[in-house]
Amino acid sequence: QSALTQPASVSGSPGQSITISCTGTSSDVGSYNLVSWYQQHPGKAPKLMIYEGSKRPSGVSNRFSGSKSGNTASLTISGLQAEDEADYYCCSYAGSSTHWVFGGGTKLTVL
Amino acid sequence: EVQLLESGGGLVQPGGSLRLSCAASGFTFSSYAMSWVRQAPGKGLEWVSAISGSGGSTYYADSVKGRFTISRDNSKNTLYLQMNSLRAEDTAVYYCAKVILVWQQLAGPLPGYMDVWGKGTTVTVSS
């Protein structure tokens, strides 16, 4: 069982928007503004998409956005495109002993 | 261009040892904390270990504490993961990643996120 809870799968049609939730606790997501999101295509390394909850690295499309409310973080992808089909993982700092915790991952299918 | 290249993976018997390496280029290696993250076949990502830029501070997941040792050689721009007493459940792709520290009010600099990842190296523990 992963420390952070994500839905196993979400789907949407091209052009639509989807949101992936990531629920943690007051010891991780709720305590720090240090949630990051990673995209992983099959057989590839993870790629940073969102950091510090809502910031986008240079080169990441502005169709990707992040937010947080309480112990739950969210990743929203607007204007879905075929290339967005991938696995998405949330990650949060969880204190000096635990360090980082990941969500179980969400498989995004673009219909 | 910032690059990370892992090596050292392979097939090892239960109870055996393996040392992974991660060669870094394109950035001032000693200025950044580094981390190892693994992914078992068909499973999600799991943080394994992290080390400060100087190498003076190390951190481990409970699942590997006492069996794995992270280290770095800043003169060689290389990160290592020494894995001992390997178990079947250690079978995974192991990624190294560059860590960005984020300043948090009251807490100081904390591990914020991993901005660059290597392609990974596969470790299989089986008899």
Side-chain angles (χ1 to χ4, degrees):
Chain A
Q1 186 175 355
S2 300
L4 305 179
T5 301
Q6 297 180 233
S9 63
V10 298
S11 62
S13 300
Q16 287 186 331
S17 295
I18 62 94
T19 297
I20 299 171
S21 61
C22 170
T23 301
T25 69
S26 57
S27 297
D28 39 63
V29 174
S31 283
Y32 308 95
N33 194 28
L34 293 175
V35 173
S36 50
W37 290 89
Y38 302 89
Q39 176 192 66
Q40 187 180 36
H41 287 108
K44 301 295 187 182
K47 174 187 176 184
L48 177 68
M49 304 302 285
I50 295 289
Y51 64 97
E52 294 181 55
S54 61
K55 299 179 180 179
R56 271 181 291 106
S58 173
V60 171
S61 171
N62 59 8
R63 297 185 298 104
F64 291 83
S65 62
S67 63
K68 190 187 90 165
S69 178
N71 296 337
T72 298
S74 298
L75 173 71
T76 297
I77 308 174
S78 59
L80 271 179
Q81 299 179 1
E83 67 244 37
D84 299 333
E85 185 162 293
D87 293 326
Y88 291 85
Y89 294 90
C90 62
C91 179
S92 175
Y93 180 69
S96 58
S97 58
T98 308
H99 223 68
W100 271 310
V101 289
F102 280 94
T106 298
K107 181 175 180 60
L108 169 61
T109 300
V110 180
L111 302 170
Chain B
E1 180 190 4
V2 175
Q3 285 192 324
L4 299 171
L5 183 62
E6 303 92 338
S7 61
L11 174 64
V12 61
Q13 291 188 337
S17 298
L18 211 54
R19 188 177 84 155
L20 306 183
S21 300
C22 170
S25 60
F27 65 102
T28 305
F29 183 66
S30 60
S31 295
Y32 291 90
M34 298 292 293
S35 184
W36 288 97
V37 175
R38 68 185 181 184
Q39 186 171 34
K43 301 297 184 182
L45 301 173
E46 178 190 14
W47 172 73
V48 173
S49 183
I51 187 169
S52 62
S54 67
S57 298
T58 57
Y59 311 88
Y60 299 94
D62 286 344
S63 58
V64 306
K65 202 171 293 182
R67 300 187 299 121
F68 290 11
T69 301
I70 191 172
S71 63
R72 64 192 297 160
D73 185 336
N74 286 342
S75 69
K76 296 182 178 179
N77 289 348
T78 303
L79 174 72
Y80 302 101
L81 186 68
Q82 176 68 43
M83 304 185 296
N84 299 330
S85 302
L86 283 162
R87 306 166 179 166
E89 53 264 36
D90 295 318
T91 294
V93 175
Y94 284 74
Y95 298 100
C96 67
K98 174 172 160 278
V99 175
I100 300 298
L101 300 182
V102 176
W103 184 269
Q104 297 280 283
Q105 207 166 8
L106 302 179
L110 294 178
Y113 53 96
M114 293 167 274
D115 68 335
V116 179
W117 297 59
K119 295 185 187 304
T121 187
T122 300
V123 172
T124 303
V125 184
S126 175
S127 54

